[in-house]
Amino acid sequence: MRLAHLHIPNLIPFTHASRLQQTLVSRLLTYKKLSDLSDSQPTLAPPDPTILTFTPYPVYTTGRRDLPPPSDTSISHTTTKPPWLPAPLEPIRPILTASPPLAEYHATLRGGQTTYHGPGQLVAYTILDLRRLRIGPRAHIRLLEETVLDVLASHGVQGILSDDPGVWVAPSSTKAANWIENNAFAARKIAAVGVHLRRFVSSYGVGLNITEEPMWYFRQIVACGLEGRDATSLEGQGVQVKGGIEEVAKRFVQAFVGRLNEGTASGGVGPKIDEIFEIEEKDVLS
């Protein structure tokens, strides 16, 4: 099995990344629907699993937990200068409605609550057929988190997983083992994780902070609904990434494939990725 990697090297609008993601998701869903309708084996090969990596212009996004009930049809979630905002973003309305706005707002279907994406951050969306890979929803989340742990370790940073979502880093004066043992120290969040599944096709994924540029935006909100929890970045941990976000994106994809091929996520029964190949936007949107 092959895995495609689409990396966008320049800043892009969040809506453009969403369009790329939705196109990839639709391909997988269409293939699954045609396969269900076919009495025989499908003649076309399934679409390749794909990881989309990019950095958007400043944007706050909400997951399903911060949205009102779908029965409330009086509310629109699509405008970038909204008359309505979810409660966690109401305090920063001036940031979102300035002319020009300092950041946009977009609702998403991913799990979780409110977070920020923007310059200085790598966003990695995994568009996968989990059933084809023999991965369950919880194993998928853990696979993403452990991939981030591997990326951090490759830069000499020890990440931590806890009961709270995402990936964390213990204060520099604290050994991670001690933090894991008693949870008595204030770890900082270095990566957020949130996904969406439809017919076991995954979308969304990870936001990993590379530089300190996103920190001001994080300080304006209660990210992921966790009061009093600060964010950090690779730069904040003393790491200067020579190859920039593109280099981290490649490490993320390689680490993801490495973890997947270990077989832990699938219980040893899933297929292996034999090749990582790069694609371009035109391969998706043409």
Side-chain angles (χ1 to χ4, degrees):
M1 183 185 296
R2 305 193 309 166
L3 181 140
H5 178 204
L6 171 57
H7 178 69
I8 311 298
N10 303 314
L11 292 177
I12 59 172
F14 183 77
T15 51
H16 184 63
S18 297
R19 180 187 174 201
L20 290 167
Q21 175 179 242
Q22 185 55 49
T23 301
L24 292 164
V25 168
S26 295
R27 287 182 181 178
L28 280 172
L29 291 174
T30 299
Y31 175 84
K32 296 185 77 165
K33 182 177 181 180
L34 292 175
S35 298
D36 291 345
L37 295 175
S38 176
D39 294 331
S40 58
Q41 291 293 326
T43 57
L44 296 177
D48 294 305
T50 303
I51 297 181
L52 167 64
T53 55
F54 66 97
T55 300
Y57 291 107
V59 60
Y60 289 98
T61 69
T62 45
R64 295 187 301 275
R65 289 178 61 188
D66 276 341
L67 295 179
S71 58
D72 191 347
T73 58
S74 66
I75 296 174
S76 170
H77 313 303
T78 58
T79 176
T80 58
K81 297 181 67 175
W84 174 88
L85 287 172
L89 291 181
E90 188 60 48
I92 64 166
R93 177 178 289 273
I95 292 176
L96 302 173
T97 58
S99 183
L102 299 180
E104 293 186 349
Y105 159 66
H106 290 282
T108 74
L109 294 174
R110 62 166 172 78
Q113 296 178 264
T114 300
T115 193
Y116 168 79
H117 299 305
Q121 186 185 80
L122 170 70
V123 181
Y125 285 172
T126 54
I127 300 93
L128 318 166
D129 182 347
L130 297 189
R131 281 194 166 170
R132 185 185 178 202
L133 296 174
R134 308 288 184 88
I135 299 174
R138 290 186 179 180
H140 174 228
I141 294 290
R142 182 50 57 96
L143 177 60
L144 292 173
E145 292 174 335
E146 291 179 343
T147 297
V148 174
L149 292 179
D150 290 344
V151 173
L152 296 179
S154 73
H155 288 94
V157 175
Q158 184 173 3
I160 299 167
L161 302 182
S162 73
D163 293 336
D164 293 322
V167 180
W168 303 77
V169 176
S172 58
S173 60
T174 303
K175 291 184 178 180
N178 292 337
W179 190 92
I180 294 170
E181 181 179 352
N182 56 34
N183 198 20
F185 302 96
R188 295 184 174 186
K189 193 168 191 177
I190 197 167
V193 177
V195 302
H196 175 67
L197 292 180
R198 181 180 175 190
R199 294 198 64 196
F200 288 92
V201 173
S202 68
S203 53
Y204 300 97
V206 170
L208 172 60
N209 300 325
I210 311 300
T211 73
E212 287 291 277
E213 194 170 354
M215 297 305 109
W216 181 86
Y217 292 92
F218 277 115
R219 287 194 292 269
Q220 310 310 308
I221 62 171
V222 178
C224 303
L226 299 173
E227 290 275 3
R229 307 301 292 273
D230 293 331
T232 189
S233 66
L234 282 173
E235 184 182 34
Q237 297 301 306
V239 176
Q240 296 296 324
V241 181
K242 294 181 180 179
I245 289 179
E246 185 170 1
E247 185 266 334
V248 180
K250 290 180 179 179
R251 290 198 188 194
F252 179 90
V253 174
Q254 292 167 355
F256 181 89
V257 169
R259 285 280 183 173
L260 187 65
N261 285 347
E262 283 180 359
T264 304
S266 66
V269 299
K272 294 185 181 298
I273 302 296
D274 303 313
E275 177 189 356
I276 301 170
F277 69 104
E278 296 183 358
I279 61 175
E280 300 178 355
E281 288 184 66
K282 64 181 182 181
D283 300 317
V284 176
L285 299 177
S286 59

